[in-house]
Amino acid sequence: MIMTTRPPIHALARRAGRSCVIRCSSSGGKKPPAFPHSQKGRHQIMRGGSLFDVAGSPVIQSVASDFRPKRIILLRHGESMGNVDDSAYVTTPDWRVELTERGQQQASDAGIALRDMIGDTGQAFFYHSPYKRTTQTLERICEHLDDKQIIAIREEPRISELQFGNFQNVEEVLKCKEERHKFGRFYYRFKSGESGLDVYSRVSSFITTLVRDCHQYSAAGHDLSRMNVVIITHGLALRLYLMRWFQFSVEVFDASSNPDNCQLITMKKHAGKNGHKWYELDPSDRESLSLPECCGVPQNVHLHKLARGATYDEPSF
Protein backbone atom coordinates (compact mmCIF):
# COMPACT_ATOMS: atom_id res chain seq x y z
CA MET A 1 0.00 0.00 0.00
CA ILE A 2 1.24 3.49 -0.80
CA MET A 3 1.31 5.68 2.31
CA THR A 4 0.23 9.30 2.21
CA THR A 5 2.41 12.10 3.56
CA ARG A 6 -0.66 14.21 4.24
CA PRO A 7 -3.21 13.77 7.01
CA PRO A 8 -6.40 11.99 5.95
CA ILE A 9 -9.26 14.05 4.53
CA HIS A 10 -11.32 13.96 7.74
CA ALA A 11 -8.30 15.37 9.61
CA LEU A 12 -8.05 18.21 7.11
CA ALA A 13 -11.71 18.98 7.74
CA ARG A 14 -11.20 19.02 11.53
CA ARG A 15 -8.18 21.28 11.09
CA ALA A 16 -10.40 23.70 9.19
CA GLY A 17 -12.89 23.63 12.05
CA ARG A 18 -15.83 22.59 9.89
CA SER A 19 -18.43 19.94 10.70
CA CYS A 20 -18.78 18.81 7.10
CA VAL A 21 -15.93 17.66 4.88
CA ILE A 22 -15.14 20.99 3.28
CA ARG A 23 -12.02 23.12 3.36
CA CYS A 24 -11.39 26.66 2.14
CA SER A 25 -7.88 27.93 1.62
CA SER A 26 -8.13 31.38 0.02
CA SER A 27 -10.02 34.67 0.27
CA GLY A 28 -8.14 35.30 3.50
CA GLY A 29 -9.59 32.20 5.15
CA LYS A 30 -13.03 33.76 5.16
CA LYS A 31 -16.03 31.51 4.94
CA PRO A 32 -17.89 32.08 1.65
CA PRO A 33 -21.25 33.80 2.01
CA ALA A 34 -24.39 31.75 2.47
CA PHE A 35 -25.86 30.18 -0.65
CA PRO A 36 -27.95 32.74 -2.53
CA HIS A 37 -31.60 31.85 -2.92
CA SER A 38 -31.24 32.41 -6.65
CA GLN A 39 -28.55 33.90 -8.88
CA LYS A 40 -30.84 33.65 -11.91
CA GLY A 41 -33.82 35.73 -12.82
CA ARG A 42 -37.16 34.45 -11.60
CA HIS A 43 -38.04 33.31 -15.10
CA GLN A 44 -34.73 31.78 -16.12
CA ILE A 45 -33.85 28.08 -16.24
CA MET A 46 -30.49 26.28 -16.05
CA ARG A 47 -30.05 23.47 -18.61
CA GLY A 48 -26.81 21.68 -19.32
CA GLY A 49 -24.86 24.43 -17.55
CA SER A 50 -26.41 27.14 -19.77
CA LEU A 51 -29.04 29.74 -18.93
CA PHE A 52 -32.35 29.93 -20.85
CA ASP A 53 -35.51 31.98 -20.46
CA VAL A 54 -38.99 30.44 -20.28
CA ALA A 55 -39.37 30.74 -24.06
CA GLY A 56 -36.29 28.55 -24.53
CA SER A 57 -33.99 31.31 -25.81
CA PRO A 58 -30.43 31.53 -24.46
CA VAL A 59 -29.78 34.25 -21.90
CA ILE A 60 -26.54 36.13 -22.54
CA GLN A 61 -24.58 37.03 -19.42
CA SER A 62 -21.71 39.45 -19.04
CA VAL A 63 -18.19 38.19 -18.42
CA ALA A 64 -18.32 39.62 -14.91
CA SER A 65 -21.35 37.46 -14.05
CA ASP A 66 -19.85 34.24 -15.42
CA PHE A 67 -19.89 31.69 -12.62
CA ARG A 68 -18.59 28.70 -14.61
CA PRO A 69 -15.27 27.08 -13.68
CA LYS A 70 -12.67 26.53 -16.38
CA ARG A 71 -13.11 22.76 -16.32
CA ILE A 72 -15.22 20.07 -14.73
CA ILE A 73 -13.13 16.93 -14.33
CA LEU A 74 -14.72 13.61 -13.43
CA LEU A 75 -12.96 10.41 -12.53
CA ARG A 76 -13.84 6.96 -11.38
CA HIS A 77 -12.03 5.68 -8.29
CA GLY A 78 -8.91 3.52 -8.57
CA GLU A 79 -9.06 -0.23 -8.85
CA SER A 80 -10.81 -1.66 -5.79
CA MET A 81 -10.79 -5.07 -4.14
CA GLY A 82 -14.30 -5.56 -5.56
CA ASN A 83 -13.04 -4.89 -9.10
CA VAL A 84 -10.70 -7.88 -8.90
CA ASP A 85 -12.73 -10.21 -6.66
CA ASP A 86 -16.54 -10.17 -6.53
CA SER A 87 -16.47 -12.11 -3.27
CA ALA A 88 -15.17 -8.97 -1.51
CA TYR A 89 -18.78 -7.79 -1.25
CA VAL A 90 -19.88 -10.90 0.68
CA THR A 91 -18.32 -9.93 4.00
CA THR A 92 -17.48 -6.25 3.42
CA PRO A 93 -20.14 -3.56 2.87
CA ASP A 94 -19.77 -2.07 -0.60
CA TRP A 95 -19.04 1.41 0.78
CA ARG A 96 -16.11 0.05 2.84
CA VAL A 97 -14.35 -1.81 0.02
CA GLU A 98 -10.82 -0.41 -0.32
CA LEU A 99 -8.40 0.19 -3.18
CA THR A 100 -5.92 -2.45 -4.24
CA GLU A 101 -2.22 -1.57 -4.32
CA ARG A 102 -2.62 -1.04 -8.06
CA GLY A 103 -5.60 1.24 -7.40
CA GLN A 104 -3.49 3.32 -5.00
CA GLN A 105 -0.88 3.77 -7.74
CA GLN A 106 -3.56 4.65 -10.31
CA ALA A 107 -4.86 7.36 -7.97
CA SER A 108 -1.37 8.74 -7.41
CA ASP A 109 -0.79 8.84 -11.18
CA ALA A 110 -4.12 10.64 -11.59
CA GLY A 111 -2.94 13.25 -9.11
CA ILE A 112 0.15 13.90 -11.22
CA ALA A 113 -1.97 14.11 -14.38
CA LEU A 114 -4.39 16.52 -12.68
CA ARG A 115 -1.55 18.73 -11.46
CA ASP A 116 -0.11 18.86 -14.99
CA MET A 117 -3.53 19.68 -16.42
CA ILE A 118 -4.42 22.59 -14.11
CA GLY A 119 -0.89 24.00 -13.79
CA ASP A 120 0.99 25.27 -10.75
CA THR A 121 -1.38 28.20 -10.18
CA GLY A 122 -4.64 26.49 -11.12
CA GLN A 123 -7.07 25.78 -8.29
CA ALA A 124 -9.69 23.11 -7.64
CA PHE A 125 -12.53 22.22 -5.40
CA PHE A 126 -13.36 18.58 -4.93
CA TYR A 127 -16.52 16.54 -4.50
CA HIS A 128 -16.16 12.88 -3.62
CA SER A 129 -18.41 9.94 -2.91
CA PRO A 130 -18.29 8.86 0.78
CA TYR A 131 -17.16 5.37 -0.23
CA LYS A 132 -13.79 4.21 1.09
CA ARG A 133 -12.35 3.66 -2.38
CA THR A 134 -13.25 7.17 -3.58
CA THR A 135 -11.94 8.77 -0.37
CA GLN A 136 -8.66 6.88 -0.73
CA THR A 137 -8.46 8.01 -4.37
CA LEU A 138 -8.95 11.61 -3.26
CA GLU A 139 -6.19 11.35 -0.65
CA ARG A 140 -3.67 10.01 -3.17
CA ILE A 141 -4.57 12.75 -5.67
CA CYS A 142 -4.23 15.54 -3.10
CA GLU A 143 -0.67 14.43 -2.31
CA HIS A 144 0.38 16.00 -5.61
CA LEU A 145 -1.30 19.39 -5.16
CA ASP A 146 -0.22 22.35 -3.07
CA ASP A 147 -2.55 23.22 -0.20
CA LYS A 148 -3.20 26.64 -1.75
CA GLN A 149 -4.52 24.94 -4.89
CA ILE A 150 -7.23 23.06 -2.97
CA ILE A 151 -10.08 25.47 -2.32
CA ALA A 152 -12.52 23.00 -0.80
CA ILE A 153 -13.20 19.30 -0.30
CA ARG A 154 -16.77 18.12 0.13
CA GLU A 155 -18.17 14.65 0.74
CA GLU A 156 -21.25 14.19 -1.47
CA PRO A 157 -23.49 11.12 -0.90
CA ARG A 158 -25.54 11.77 -4.06
CA ILE A 159 -22.63 10.68 -6.27
CA SER A 160 -22.31 7.31 -4.51
CA GLU A 161 -22.31 3.97 -6.30
CA LEU A 162 -25.58 2.38 -7.41
CA GLN A 163 -26.99 0.45 -4.45
CA PHE A 164 -26.99 -3.29 -5.17
CA GLY A 165 -28.36 -4.23 -1.74
CA ASN A 166 -26.61 -4.91 1.57
CA PHE A 167 -24.17 -7.83 2.01
CA GLN A 168 -24.21 -9.44 -1.41
CA ASN A 169 -24.54 -13.01 -2.59
CA VAL A 170 -22.02 -13.24 -5.43
CA GLU A 171 -24.00 -15.71 -7.56
CA GLU A 172 -27.21 -13.72 -7.17
CA VAL A 173 -25.56 -10.41 -8.07
CA LEU A 174 -23.86 -11.90 -11.13
CA LYS A 175 -27.19 -13.35 -12.24
CA CYS A 176 -28.87 -9.96 -11.77
CA LYS A 177 -26.11 -8.21 -13.74
CA GLU A 178 -26.61 -10.65 -16.61
CA GLU A 179 -30.35 -9.98 -16.45
CA ARG A 180 -29.68 -6.23 -16.38
CA HIS A 181 -27.63 -6.53 -19.56
CA LYS A 182 -30.71 -7.91 -21.35
CA PHE A 183 -33.22 -5.57 -19.68
CA GLY A 184 -31.20 -2.35 -19.93
CA ARG A 185 -28.93 -0.68 -17.36
CA PHE A 186 -30.99 2.47 -16.93
CA TYR A 187 -34.31 0.99 -15.79
CA TYR A 188 -33.22 -2.32 -14.27
CA ARG A 189 -33.69 -2.37 -10.49
CA PHE A 190 -31.71 -4.65 -8.19
CA LYS A 191 -33.65 -6.37 -5.43
CA SER A 192 -33.38 -4.23 -2.29
CA GLY A 193 -31.31 -1.81 -4.36
CA GLU A 194 -31.52 0.94 -6.97
CA SER A 195 -32.05 1.37 -10.68
CA GLY A 196 -29.99 3.58 -12.97
CA LEU A 197 -32.95 5.96 -12.98
CA ASP A 198 -32.61 6.38 -9.20
CA VAL A 199 -28.94 7.32 -9.56
CA TYR A 200 -29.81 9.68 -12.42
CA SER A 201 -32.29 11.48 -10.16
CA ARG A 202 -29.85 12.01 -7.31
CA VAL A 203 -27.03 13.03 -9.66
CA SER A 204 -29.40 15.58 -11.24
CA SER A 205 -30.02 17.02 -7.79
CA PHE A 206 -26.27 17.20 -7.20
CA ILE A 207 -25.75 19.21 -10.41
CA THR A 208 -28.11 21.86 -9.06
CA THR A 209 -25.96 22.07 -5.92
CA LEU A 210 -22.80 22.26 -8.02
CA VAL A 211 -24.14 25.25 -9.97
CA ARG A 212 -25.17 26.95 -6.73
CA ASP A 213 -21.73 26.31 -5.20
CA CYS A 214 -20.07 27.91 -8.22
CA HIS A 215 -22.19 31.01 -7.64
CA GLN A 216 -21.15 30.94 -3.98
CA TYR A 217 -17.42 30.81 -4.65
CA SER A 218 -17.68 33.45 -7.36
CA ALA A 219 -19.49 35.72 -4.90
CA ALA A 220 -16.76 35.02 -2.32
CA GLY A 221 -14.17 36.47 -4.69
CA HIS A 222 -12.66 33.32 -6.20
CA ASP A 223 -11.51 33.60 -9.81
CA LEU A 224 -13.47 30.85 -11.56
CA SER A 225 -11.56 31.42 -14.81
CA ARG A 226 -8.75 29.36 -13.26
CA MET A 227 -10.93 27.11 -11.14
CA ASN A 228 -11.43 23.39 -11.75
CA VAL A 229 -14.20 21.27 -10.27
CA VAL A 230 -13.04 17.69 -9.64
CA ILE A 231 -15.67 14.99 -9.02
CA ILE A 232 -14.43 11.62 -7.73
CA THR A 233 -17.20 9.08 -8.13
CA HIS A 234 -18.07 5.66 -9.61
CA GLY A 235 -18.35 4.44 -13.19
CA LEU A 236 -22.14 4.29 -13.45
CA ALA A 237 -22.70 7.55 -11.55
CA LEU A 238 -20.14 9.27 -13.78
CA ARG A 239 -21.93 8.22 -16.96
CA LEU A 240 -25.31 9.23 -15.55
CA TYR A 241 -23.88 12.63 -14.65
CA LEU A 242 -22.82 13.05 -18.28
CA MET A 243 -26.21 11.80 -19.47
CA ARG A 244 -27.95 14.50 -17.44
CA TRP A 245 -25.54 17.28 -18.36
CA PHE A 246 -25.34 16.56 -22.08
CA GLN A 247 -28.97 15.42 -22.31
CA PHE A 248 -28.45 12.23 -24.27
CA SER A 249 -30.97 9.41 -24.49
CA VAL A 250 -31.49 6.24 -22.46
CA GLU A 251 -30.48 4.14 -25.46
CA VAL A 252 -27.20 6.05 -25.81
CA PHE A 253 -26.53 5.60 -22.09
CA ASP A 254 -27.20 1.86 -22.24
CA ALA A 255 -24.69 1.54 -25.10
CA SER A 256 -21.97 3.52 -23.27
CA SER A 257 -19.00 2.07 -21.38
CA ASN A 258 -17.44 2.77 -18.01
CA PRO A 259 -14.19 4.77 -17.97
CA ASP A 260 -10.99 3.12 -16.84
CA ASN A 261 -10.13 3.41 -13.16
CA CYS A 262 -8.80 6.92 -12.42
CA GLN A 263 -9.20 8.07 -16.03
CA LEU A 264 -9.67 11.86 -16.11
CA ILE A 265 -12.87 12.71 -18.03
CA THR A 266 -12.69 16.39 -18.90
CA MET A 267 -15.46 18.88 -19.65
CA LYS A 268 -13.97 22.15 -20.88
CA LYS A 269 -15.65 25.54 -21.07
CA HIS A 270 -16.29 26.94 -24.55
CA ALA A 271 -17.60 30.32 -25.67
CA GLY A 272 -19.55 31.49 -28.71
CA LYS A 273 -19.13 34.88 -30.38
CA ASN A 274 -22.41 35.99 -28.81
CA GLY A 275 -20.98 35.49 -25.31
CA HIS A 276 -22.88 32.29 -24.59
CA LYS A 277 -20.82 29.63 -22.78
CA TRP A 278 -21.16 25.88 -22.32
CA TYR A 279 -19.06 22.76 -21.69
CA GLU A 280 -17.87 20.20 -24.20
CA LEU A 281 -16.59 16.72 -23.47
CA ASP A 282 -13.03 16.01 -24.56
CA PRO A 283 -13.34 14.02 -27.85
CA SER A 284 -10.90 11.28 -26.81
CA ASP A 285 -12.71 10.89 -23.47
CA ARG A 286 -16.05 10.71 -25.27
CA GLU A 287 -14.77 7.97 -27.58
CA SER A 288 -13.39 5.97 -24.65
CA LEU A 289 -16.89 5.98 -23.14
CA SER A 290 -18.40 4.70 -26.44
CA LEU A 291 -20.47 7.88 -26.83
CA PRO A 292 -21.35 9.25 -30.29
CA GLU A 293 -20.03 12.63 -31.42
CA CYS A 294 -23.35 14.41 -30.78
CA CYS A 295 -23.04 13.63 -27.06
CA GLY A 296 -19.96 15.80 -26.59
CA VAL A 297 -22.02 19.00 -26.56
CA PRO A 298 -25.26 19.73 -24.62
CA GLN A 299 -28.32 19.21 -26.79
CA ASN A 300 -29.58 22.76 -26.23
CA VAL A 301 -26.35 24.05 -27.82
CA HIS A 302 -27.18 22.02 -30.95
CA LEU A 303 -30.82 23.13 -30.79
CA HIS A 304 -30.02 26.86 -30.70
CA LYS A 305 -26.96 26.56 -32.98
CA LEU A 306 -24.86 28.28 -30.32
CA ALA A 307 -21.66 26.53 -31.36
CA ARG A 308 -21.24 28.58 -34.55
CA GLY A 309 -18.00 30.49 -34.27
CA ALA A 310 -17.26 28.92 -30.91
CA THR A 311 -13.81 29.23 -29.37
CA TYR A 312 -12.05 27.63 -26.45
CA ASP A 313 -12.46 29.75 -23.37
CA GLU A 314 -8.79 30.05 -22.45
CA PRO A 315 -8.19 32.73 -19.82
CA SER A 316 -4.60 32.77 -18.62
CA PHE A 317 -3.82 31.52 -15.13
Side-chain angles (χ1 to χ4, degrees):
M1 301 286 283
I2 297 174
M3 301 301 291
T4 176
T5 57
R6 288 176 181 247
I9 296 304
H10 58 78
L12 293 174
R14 285 200 303 271
R15 181 182 298 173
R18 305 293 290 273
S19 59
C20 61
V21 187
I22 182 169
R23 177 161 60 98
C24 294
S25 60
S26 61
S27 296
K30 297 179 181 178
K31 184 188 296 186
F35 286 124
H37 292 294
S38 176
Q39 292 289 339
K40 306 184 291 293
R42 293 180 62 186
H43 303 294
Q44 296 173 358
I45 303 168
M46 181 64 61
R47 295 179 186 147
S50 302
L51 202 57
F52 291 81
D53 62 24
V54 291
S57 299
V59 175
I60 307 304
Q61 296 176 283
S62 67
V63 173
S65 67
D66 184 25
F67 59 89
R68 302 165 185 82
K70 183 174 183 179
R71 300 182 191 89
I72 299 175
I73 302 164
L74 303 101
L75 69 152
R76 179 188 178 195
H77 57 80
E79 180 186 79
S80 72
M81 298 299 297
N83 290 147
V84 297
D85 182 5
D86 288 324
S87 67
Y89 302 112
V90 176
T91 57
T92 305
D94 190 5
W95 67 279
R96 290 180 176 170
V97 171
E98 299 190 1
L99 295 180
T100 62
E101 185 175 351
R102 181 168 181 255
Q104 295 272 1
Q105 185 61 53
Q106 289 171 335
S108 182
D109 291 344
I112 296 171
L114 178 63
R115 181 192 64 199
D116 292 344
M117 180 183 292
I118 70 174
D120 293 336
T121 58
Q123 295 181 312
F125 54 93
F126 290 83
Y127 298 91
H128 69 99
S129 157
Y131 278 47
K132 185 72 172 177
R133 52 189 179 270
T134 46
T135 303
Q136 289 178 323
T137 299
L138 171 68
E139 290 173 349
R140 297 293 84 74
I141 287 173
C142 287
E143 290 175 0
H144 300 283
L145 299 176
D146 188 272
D147 283 340
K148 293 181 180 179
Q149 292 184 280
I150 304 172
I151 300 303
I153 294 171
R154 177 172 294 179
E155 182 179 278
E156 177 49 74
R158 289 172 292 181
I159 57 174
S160 295
E161 176 65 285
L162 180 143
Q163 302 302 293
F164 296 97
N166 296 323
F167 291 107
Q168 299 171 22
N169 178 289
V170 176
E171 290 76 18
E172 184 177 339
V173 170
L174 290 176
K175 181 180 179 181
C176 288
K177 286 184 176 180
E178 183 179 350
E179 188 177 57
R180 179 179 66 168
H181 180 72
K182 298 176 182 178
F183 187 87
R185 288 177 174 267
F186 188 76
Y187 288 114
Y188 184 86
R189 181 179 299 280
F190 284 85
K191 296 177 181 178
S192 303
E194 288 184 301
S195 67
L197 175 59
D198 295 326
V199 182
Y200 177 88
S201 297
R202 52 181 167 87
V203 166
S204 297
S205 173
F206 162 66
I207 289 175
T208 301
T209 299
L210 170 60
V211 172
R212 186 176 63 200
D213 285 355
C214 290
H215 279 296
Q216 178 190 14
Y217 284 106
S218 179
H222 292 278
D223 181 7
L224 268 70
S225 69
R226 62 190 184 102
M227 191 71 69
N228 300 270
V229 171
V230 183
I231 302 170
I232 303 174
T233 182
H234 307 263
L236 187 78
L238 186 154
R239 288 187 289 136
L240 288 165
Y241 177 100
L242 295 176
M243 177 185 177
R244 176 63 182 87
W245 192 284
F246 292 100
Q247 305 149 349
F248 52 79
S249 69
V250 170
E251 287 188 359
V252 169
F253 166 77
D254 276 338
S256 66
S257 305
N258 268 347
D260 292 335
N261 294 106
C262 283
Q263 177 185 352
L264 301 182
I265 302 297
T266 307
M267 297 165 53
K268 192 170 185 180
K269 185 166 63 175
H270 285 239
K273 291 182 178 179
N274 60 0
H276 194 80
K277 295 183 179 181
W278 63 91
Y279 289 91
E280 294 190 12
L281 190 59
D282 179 87
S284 61
D285 294 340
R286 176 184 54 75
E287 291 174 3
S288 72
L289 299 171
S290 303
L291 292 171
E293 185 176 356
C294 63
C295 293
V297 179
Q299 293 303 305
N300 54 40
V301 173
H302 291 303
L303 177 64
H304 296 284
K305 298 180 174 59
L306 299 174
R308 290 179 177 176
T311 61
Y312 285 101
D313 192 37
E314 279 284 353
S316 59
F317 284 128

